[in-house]
Amino acid sequence: KPSFLSVGLLRDREPRVTLRSSGVGGRVTPVATIPLTIAATDDFGLASLRIQAERSRIDAESDKPEAQTSKASIPIPFESDPARPALDHQARHDVSLQADPPAVGTILRFIGEADDRCSRGVQTGRSSVVAFSVVSPDELFYEILIRQRAERAKFLAILETFEKQAPTLETKARAEEIVAMARVGQSSIRQVGQIAGRLADALQEMKLNQIGSLKSHRLLQEGVVDPLRALAGGPMPQ
């Protein structure tokens, strides 16, 4: 019996690439370590991955200030089997600036790239730009300190709220008062957990940018972050 066969052509698109940073903000020190994560997907198979790094800085001392730009390509190890091509891959790469510290005021740009195995020729996909500005350690430390002080103010506000509830708890509180206090308590538990998380992120940023001493890092972890998490996980819910 005759049969009908339809053949469709599937277009091979270029790879889709994303590049993200973690642990640091948009401002880093000249000796920072920048953790980057590159992820790529393709319709029929990936061939290679890399990160394009660019440094640009304006030389203000020259008569005609011009941007001085240097570029470098960072290959990402990627094992590919021609018999079973990988359709997606994710890898982490830490960029250490300490080996070649950039000057303060330098702008760092990173772009993730991936090549595919298209039969009509290699196609390259690119991610969006991830940019950082290089600042002095003192400037970044002051910025992080301001953020920590803001979290401290939020914690003090929670403490004042609980202190105001103490007189009501010492008397025969009405049912509606107990319900209102319980709602405030649940909200405060979430806020304390969020404060601990933001302080932990600030501590990680200090470590990656080599700001502060090992003793200060330990004091912040053991004297602030861990007690806050223990408070939000135990005494406050009880």
Side-chain angles (χ1 to χ4, degrees), residues 12-15 42 115-124:
D12 186 5
R13 299 173 295 173
E14 65 275 2
D42 188 67
D115 297 334
D116 66 357
R117 298 180 177 276
C118 182
S119 59
R120 303 181 63 182
V122 176
Q123 299 182 117
T124 302

Side-chain angles (χ1 to χ4, degrees), residues 7-155:
V7 178
L9 298 179
L10 179 63
R11 178 177 178 268
D12 186 5
R13 299 173 295 173
E14 65 275 2
R16 277 76 67 195
V17 187
T18 58
L19 185 66
R20 295 185 175 88
S21 64
S22 60
V24 295
R27 295 152 66 88
V28 296
T29 63
V31 293
T33 299
I34 304 175
L36 296 175
T37 301
I38 181 173
T41 59
D42 188 67
D43 298 324
F44 295 99
L46 297 168
S48 63
L49 296 174
R50 60 186 172 274
I51 297 176
Q52 300 291 352
E54 177 183 313
R55 295 185 180 189
S56 60
R57 179 175 179 268
I58 298 178
D59 189 1
E61 297 180 357
S62 61
D63 298 335
K64 296 181 179 180
E66 295 181 356
Q68 300 178 353
T69 304
S70 60
K71 299 181 180 180
S73 181
I74 306 172
I76 303 299
F78 175 64
E79 296 181 359
S80 179
D81 185 4
R84 300 182 62 183
L87 302 183
D88 59 85
H89 185 72
Q90 181 174 328
R92 171 172 168 167
H93 179 77
D94 294 343
V95 178
S96 178
L97 303 180
Q98 191 171 7
D100 184 16
V104 174
T106 302
I107 302 299
L108 308 175
R109 296 182 179 88
F110 299 94
I111 299 176
E113 292 184 352
D115 297 334
D116 66 357
R117 298 180 177 276
C118 182
S119 59
R120 303 181 63 182
V122 176
Q123 299 182 117
T124 302
R126 295 177 176 84
S127 69
S128 57
V129 179
V130 179
F132 305 91
S133 60
V134 180
V135 299
S136 65
D138 293 339
E139 183 177 350
L140 183 59
F141 179 74
Y142 180 75
E143 178 184 327
I144 295 176
L145 185 61
I146 293 298
R147 279 186 266 149
Q148 291 176 346
R149 288 178 177 175
E151 299 303 325
R152 179 178 183 272
K154 295 176 183 178
F155 181 76

Side-chain angles (χ1 to χ4, degrees), residues 145-196:
L145 185 61
I146 293 298
R147 279 186 266 149
Q148 291 176 346
R149 288 178 177 175
E151 299 303 325
R152 179 178 183 272
K154 295 176 183 178
F155 181 76
L156 289 177
I158 296 174
L159 180 61
E160 292 177 358
T161 301
F162 274 86
E163 289 178 344
K164 292 179 181 178
Q165 293 179 347
T168 305
L169 292 173
E170 294 174 353
T171 61
K172 285 188 176 182
R174 299 189 302 273
E176 55 270 17
E177 292 177 334
I178 296 177
V179 171
M181 286 187 291
R183 290 175 178 171
V184 173
Q186 292 177 350
S187 175
S188 299
I189 292 172
R190 290 193 298 268
Q191 292 178 15
V192 171
Q194 292 170 357
I195 291 172

